[in-house]
Amino acid sequence: MATMLQKFPSSVSTLNDYNALYPDWTQREVSTGTTIMAVEFDGGVVMGADSRTTTGAYIANRVTDKLTPIHERIFCCRSGSAADTQAIADAVTYQLGFHSIELDEAPLVQTAASLFRDMCYRYREELMAGIIVAGWDRRRGGQVYTVPVGGMMTRQPVSVGGSGSSYIYGFVDSNYKPAMSKEECLKFTAEALTLAMERDGSSGGVVRLAVISEQGVERQVILGNQLPKFSTV
Amino acid sequence: MALSYVLEPAVSGFNFENSTRNIVLENGSEEGKIKAPKPMKTGTTIAGVVYKDGVVLGADTRATSDEVVADKMCAKIHYIAPNIYCCGAGTAADTEKTTDMLSSNLTIFSMNSGRNPRVVMAVNILQDMLFRYRGMIGAHLILGGVDCTGSHLYTVGPYGSIDKVPYLAMGSGKLPAMGILEDRFKGNMDLEEAKALVSDAIHAGIMSDLGSGNNIDLCVITKEGVDYIRPHRESIYNYKRQAKYKYKPGTTPVLTKTVNQLELELVHETVQMMETAGSS
């Protein structure tokens, strides 16, 4: 069976270059194109993320863990370029660990967030990283800090990030109530992430949740068939 | 923060001074357009699976240079350490050199510390290096190995991102290979099942992807040792040369023969004594 390599005119498609032997969309950089979220409650924080990592239109990893431990009671949610966020998280983990040993006490969540902010702002031209830092410390309890692309840092009671976040701002703004309990926060996060995953092509897979409090970290996974159901999706 | 130096310090990493010139050349007028030479890609299918006692890695053996098969029996499963092997997809030179450097670094570490290297060390070294070069090193790698902490399978992307998963496929044939793996992977498979699964995944890549082909290599890594099966399955298309291309001496008739003596003239002669007397 002889196959002639045909040269297609560029009018056939502007999306793919059919003249290339290997499709372009499998060669792009690995991006976490994601939905991440964190909510403060009295006594701790609830963090959640989807589990999809994409290279162009191919899902490189459908069970990614985007909730990365930085210290014992401080985690971060990563969105943006997978390589950049992994490298930043590694660097901050080292710096925070060193700082904590020097102080001989647990570091503050604000310190971790500042370290992220310093790196993301200084290298803002080279990096593509949107990070939510959340955790518990003795001084201020549960805190959520967001460090979006560009290197701003601000504390918010609830924060969403990633490509899927655009679809759930309305849901989050209307359903968030201050002084929710831990179980209410978990339900709120799971529902918000499910809605985002349904609408955003770059988010999907399973929902990974983490609860950080004085007692420590509890992690759970909600599999695809166990996600909350909504009537329109 | 802009600083100017009188003497330019040595820049690390790649030198991009010619990139604007290259863009101008490539986008020039129709007559003046010059196409940059394409690096040889391995256009590959590679796969890895963690099974009950260790890791099975698989790869095809075709290396392509545009549409021509450059190497029919290319070895894509590279040695990193006695207990760690790495499959490479992407630019052939980049995967070769990167895995070579990694292997050297880990050997030195072994000698210095007296320990066997761990898979996570190899992954961290690779991630560091590839991130520093910002994706310019086109190496998509699958690392697998067994160390004192267990069996591990990682993928490292060219920009320096890593994923740790129980089964993987990379390269241009990864889509068909991933289809087979997603369908038939189970946790804790035994050896024959795992080998059949990886072999079938690579076979799917070979059948459905133009850039993959020829034979299938397998590498089984366990606590006891490594079984490098090359080839595990040979291609049924065995092209034998139809004619000989060697010519017997005397095939070409000699018409004339001239001998020119080369005139050499001794211009200058010096003799230098070497200090051969040993010091005592």
Side-chain angles (χ1 to χ4, degrees):
Chain A
M1 184 185 76
T3 40
M4 275 279 289
L5 219 62
Q6 269 188 287
K7 289 281 180 197
F8 291 100
S10 55
S11 57
V12 169
S13 170
T14 45
L15 290 171
N16 282 339
D17 177 18
Y18 285 101
N19 297 323
L21 212 54
Y22 318 110
D24 173 57
W25 46 265
T26 51
Q27 308 290 1
R28 297 232 228 100
E29 182 181 347
V30 177
S31 146
T32 39
T34 229
T35 315
I36 49 177
M37 181 167 164
V39 189
E40 288 176 12
F41 65 92
D42 181 23
V45 290
V46 169
M47 306 173 73
D50 74 305
S51 69
R52 182 173 288 186
T53 321
T54 46
T55 0
Y58 176 72
I59 299 175
N61 188 352
R62 59 183 171 86
V63 286
T64 328
D65 185 7
K66 302 181 192 179
L67 303 176
T68 310
I70 303 295
H71 202 262
E72 219 180 306
R73 285 180 180 73
I74 305 177
F75 270 58
C76 76
C77 308
R78 301 181 288 110
S79 76
S81 152
D84 289 348
T85 52
Q86 283 174 8
I88 298 171
D90 283 347
V92 172
T93 306
Y94 160 73
Q95 293 170 342
L96 198 67
F98 189 84
H99 168 76
S100 166
I101 289 174
E102 276 187 322
L103 253 54
D104 195 23
E105 68 179 46
L108 299 176
V109 187
Q110 186 183 7
T111 314
S114 293
L115 288 170
F116 271 108
R117 182 266 314 273
D118 279 351
M119 198 166 290
C120 292
Y121 180 73
R122 184 183 302 261
Y123 299 107
R124 57 186 300 171
E125 303 301 327
E126 287 89 14
L127 294 172
M128 227 263 283
I131 299 183
I132 299 181
V133 186
W136 180 92
D137 62 38
R138 188 179 297 277
R139 195 183 291 186
R140 297 202 186 107
Q143 299 144 76
V144 171
Y145 293 87
T146 179
V147 182
V149 172
M152 167 187 98
M153 175 184 84
T154 184
R155 182 178 171 188
Q156 294 177 314
V158 61
S159 183
V160 293
S163 59
S165 64
S166 343
Y167 304 98
I168 50 172
Y169 278 111
F171 176 83
V172 168
D173 287 342
S174 60
N175 285 65
Y176 173 72
K177 295 180 298 299
M180 284 197 285
S181 70
K182 180 178 95 171
E183 286 67 31
E184 287 175 318
C185 284
L186 279 166
K187 182 163 172 293
F188 173 54
T189 310
E191 287 183 347
L193 289 171
T194 306
L195 288 167
M197 280 157 56
E198 284 293 329
R199 289 291 179 180
D200 179 29
S202 313
S203 305
V206 304
V207 167
R208 291 194 189 273
L209 294 167
V211 182
I212 311 176
S213 62
E214 182 174 7
Q215 285 74 42
V217 180
E218 301 162 32
R219 300 209 54 171
Q220 16 169 311
V221 179
I222 306 183
L223 298 180
N225 55 353
Q226 299 162 346
L227 292 172
K229 305 234 180 310
F230 295 95
S231 54
T232 50
V233 297
Chain B
M1 209 168 61
L3 293 175
S4 57
Y5 299 95
V6 174
L7 237 63
E8 297 240 22
V11 201
S12 62
F14 289 105
N15 181 344
F16 291 106
E17 277 174 10
N18 281 334
S19 43
T20 18
R21 177 205 75 172
N22 291 345
I23 293 173
V24 169
L25 283 176
E26 281 188 21
N27 296 334
S29 59
E30 272 308 317
E31 314 85 50
K33 206 187 279 227
I34 299 171
K35 217 158 138 301
K38 276 215 191 82
M40 178 170 108
K41 298 180 89 109
T42 42
T44 283
T45 311
I46 48 178
V49 145
V50 174
Y51 77 104
K52 192 174 54 166
D53 303 318
V55 177
V56 178
L57 298 173
D60 73 304
T61 58
R62 174 180 290 184
T64 49
S65 185
D66 280 350
E67 292 92 36
V68 177
V69 175
D71 191 350
K72 288 186 286 205
M73 197 56 182
C74 162
K76 299 185 190 178
I77 306 184
H78 308 282
Y79 166 88
I80 303 289
N83 55 332
I84 306 174
Y85 275 72
C86 176
C87 306
T91 312
D94 288 344
T95 55
E96 280 284 343
K97 267 304 168 205
T98 310
T99 46
D100 264 354
M101 282 188 349
L102 177 63
S103 174
S104 308
N105 275 333
L106 287 180
T107 314
I108 293 176
F109 162 79
S110 277
M111 289 197 246
N112 272 337
S113 64
R115 291 169 191 263
N116 268 337
R118 301 191 189 183
V119 186
V120 72
M121 284 176 56
V123 169
N124 282 333
I125 294 172
L126 276 178
Q127 181 180 41
D128 251 353
M129 182 186 143
L130 293 175
F131 182 74
R132 227 179 327 128
Y133 283 94
R134 310 184 53 99
M136 293 295 155
I137 296 186
H140 305 244
L141 305 166
I142 293 185
L143 249 124
V146 180
D147 57 34
C148 56
T149 54
S151 329
H152 308 280
L153 186 68
Y154 286 89
T155 174
V156 187
Y159 287 87
S161 58
I162 59 173
D163 281 309
K164 182 176 194 313
V165 271
Y167 59 94
L168 263 180
M170 290 294 267
S172 55
K174 71 177 165 208
L175 269 70
M178 209 50 183
I180 301 286
L181 289 174
E182 285 283 12
D183 185 36
R184 284 162 41 186
F185 175 81
K186 298 193 301 284
N188 273 326
M189 284 185 289
D190 58 25
L191 177 62
E192 286 315 311
E193 243 185 316
K195 274 163 68 171
L197 178 59
V198 176
S199 177
D200 286 348
I202 305 291
H203 186 68
I206 289 174
M207 287 294 126
S208 310
D209 174 44
L210 295 177
S212 309
N214 300 98
N215 310 328
I216 301 178
D217 288 348
L218 279 190
C219 182
V220 182
I221 311 172
T222 55
K223 221 169 26 193
E224 282 79 46
V226 173
D227 187 14
Y228 196 129
I229 314 167
R230 176 171 156 83
H232 167 75
R233 205 200 294 187
E234 282 195 327
S235 162
I236 57 175
Y237 301 104
N238 239 328
Y239 297 106
K240 293 252 174 295
R241 284 225 167 83
Q242 301 297 328
K244 279 203 175 340
Y245 293 98
K246 270 193 147 67
Y247 294 97
K248 288 199 307 292
T251 314
T252 314
V254 179
L255 296 177
T256 44
K257 181 172 162 181
T258 354
V259 178
N260 286 331
Q261 287 287 10
L262 211 54
E263 294 289 331
L264 288 176
E265 190 189 308
L266 183 61
V267 176
H268 183 64
E269 188 179 344
T270 7
V271 176
Q272 195 168 28
M273 296 298 287
M274 262 170 61
E275 286 296 325
T276 45
S279 52
S280 50

